Amino acid sequence: MSLAEKIDKSLEKKWCTRFQTSHPDGDAYDGVVTVNHRNLIVLRNLQHFEFDGVVILPKRVIRGYRDSRFERCLNRVLRHNQAIREARTPDWLESCDDLESLLNALGDRDIWPIVEMLYEEEGEIGSALYIGPIDFVDEDGFGLQCYDAAGKWETVYELDFEDVFKIEFGDSYSKHFNNYMRDKSPPPELD
C-alpha cells in the first residue's frame, strides 16, 4: 500500500498509524490523520493510548509508515478504551491547506504553537524547537516571539516555511508551559 493510501486509510477509518520521518533522530509519530491536504497532514498525536495534542507534518518530511500487528493491537485498545472518539480536530483546521494559512489561523486564535525546524550546519542536519506567540506571518515565513526552557523570554525568531519539520499545539506540555508564561511572565512589548 502506498503512503497516500495509508494516509487515506487513517483518515477514513480513524486508524492509528506510525508515520516515519526524515528527522535526523529518526522521529516517528503515532496518530490518526484528521486532515489531509496536498502538502501537509494533521494528526491527533497518540501517547500512552491517549490523544495528546495536534501535530501538523509537511508531507515532504514523511518517509514511510508502519501499519503492522502492533498498530492492529493499538487500534483495538483505542476502540476498547473509547479514546478513538477523541480522534478529531477543530473544524477550522480543514481550511488550513498550507503552513501560511495554518499559522495565520493559530495567530488569529492566540494559540502559541511548538514549531520544530530542521537546519543544516557544517554538513550536519540538526533541529531546533521554538515555542511562543506568533508575531507575524508573510508569504515566505513567520516570526515567533519565543521563550526558552527556563521560562525566559527571548527575541522574535524569523523562520522560513521551507525549514518547518512540524507544528504542534494542544498537547499537555505546551498547554501547561504556555499558561504559565501567559500568567507569570507575559511577553515583553516589541518595538
Side-chain angles (χ1 to χ4, degrees):
M1 195 176 275
S2 72
L3 177 60
E5 291 170 323
K6 284 296 178 184
I7 290 170
D8 288 340
K9 174 185 176 183
S10 180
L11 177 67
E12 293 165 10
K13 295 185 177 187
K14 288 190 175 185
W15 188 260
C16 191
T17 302
R18 173 165 289 180
F19 291 95
Q20 300 154 334
T21 71
S22 62
H23 195 280
D25 294 332
D27 289 2
Y29 295 89
D30 295 325
V32 173
V33 175
T34 57
V35 177
N36 180 17
H37 286 300
R38 190 169 64 99
N39 294 317
L40 58 85
I41 63 170
V42 177
L43 290 176
R44 278 307 312 267
N45 194 35
L46 190 71
Q47 299 288 328
H48 310 293
F49 299 109
E50 295 179 358
F51 292 103
D52 186 28
V54 174
V55 171
I56 295 95
L57 294 173
K59 286 184 179 177
R60 63 179 159 67
V61 306
I62 301 172
R63 293 291 180 254
Y65 61 85
R66 187 181 77 186
D67 188 11
S68 68
R69 62 189 173 102
F70 305 116
E71 284 71 32
R72 284 191 295 279
C73 181
L74 170 62
N75 279 283
R76 286 193 300 268
V77 172
L78 292 177
R79 281 152 178 77
H80 178 76
N81 72 9
Q82 300 181 15
I84 199 66
R85 291 191 282 182
E86 301 301 316
R88 59 187 181 281
T89 53
D91 291 338
W92 57 265
L93 276 171
E94 289 285 337
S95 64
C96 299
D97 59 355
D98 59 21
L99 293 175
E100 183 178 355
S101 62
L102 171 69
L103 285 154
N104 274 316
L106 290 170
D108 291 346
R109 288 164 177 78
D110 197 27
I111 296 171
W112 296 5
I114 297 172
V115 178
E116 186 168 4
M117 306 292 286
L118 293 184
Y119 61 89
E120 187 172 345
E121 190 173 284
E122 297 179 10
E124 297 282 323
I125 297 176
S127 68
L129 288 176
Y130 300 87
I131 185 171
I134 297 166
D135 185 60
F136 70 87
V137 180
D138 63 30
E139 63 187 31
D140 298 318
F142 57 101
L144 281 184
Q145 186 176 3
C146 296
Y147 59 87
D148 66 16
K152 181 178 181 283
W153 283 103
E154 296 181 346
T155 186
V156 172
Y157 289 92
E158 294 186 19
L159 308 169
D160 295 330
F161 291 131
E162 66 187 35
D163 298 326
V164 171
F165 172 75
K166 78 169 178 178
I167 297 174
E168 185 171 3
F169 68 92
D171 59 295
S172 299
Y173 180 89
S174 67
K175 281 192 296 188
H176 293 299
F177 210 163
N178 284 338
N179 285 340
Y180 170 79
M181 292 301 288
R182 286 177 197 266
D183 293 344
K184 300 299 181 195
S185 180
E189 291 296 320
L190 299 174
D191 295 332

